[in-house]
Amino acid sequence: MQMLYITCTLLSMIWTSAISTASTLLTGGGPADLTHVLATLGIRYLRLDQLSLAMASIVCALPFVLAADVFMMKRLSR
């Protein structure tokens, strides 16, 4: 039961970062930019011409997402 919980949690984390990007881009960030998540923060900073902050948000998220992807691919390939 524990491994099922870990699998579902990691899949939810990966899918949430992808799904929220489309809704945030369509709404423009919602009221007072409250709907931004880490996946869309880089795009927001690029629009504001703050390249260093955009790259920092992308580089900080990349190791965690890649590690979760590799773990899930190994876990689900069994």
Side-chain angles (χ1 to χ4, degrees), residues 30-77:
D33 280 337
L34 294 176
T35 59
H36 281 291
V37 292
L38 191 56
T40 59
L41 205 55
I43 296 170
R44 177 180 180 263
Y45 286 139
L46 281 175
R47 286 183 185 164
L48 297 174
D49 291 329
Q50 296 177 343
L51 186 61
S52 60
L53 289 175
M55 292 306 294
S57 65
I58 293 169
V59 169
C60 287
L62 190 62
F64 298 109
V65 174
L66 285 179
D69 288 342
V70 169
F71 177 76
M72 291 306 299
M73 287 189 326
K74 286 183 180 179
R75 172 89 177 109
L76 296 176
S77 67

Side-chain angles (χ1 to χ4, degrees), residues 2 4-6 8-9 14 28 42 47 59 62-63 65 70 78:
Q2 180 183 10
L4 179 65
Y5 177 75
I6 292 171
C8 291
T9 302
I14 294 168
R47 286 183 185 164
V59 169
L62 190 62
V65 174
V70 169
R78 290 188 207 167

Side-chain angles (χ1 to χ4, degrees), residues 16-30:
T16 301
S17 67
I19 292 170
S20 62
T21 304
S23 63
T24 303
L25 292 176
L26 289 174
T27 62

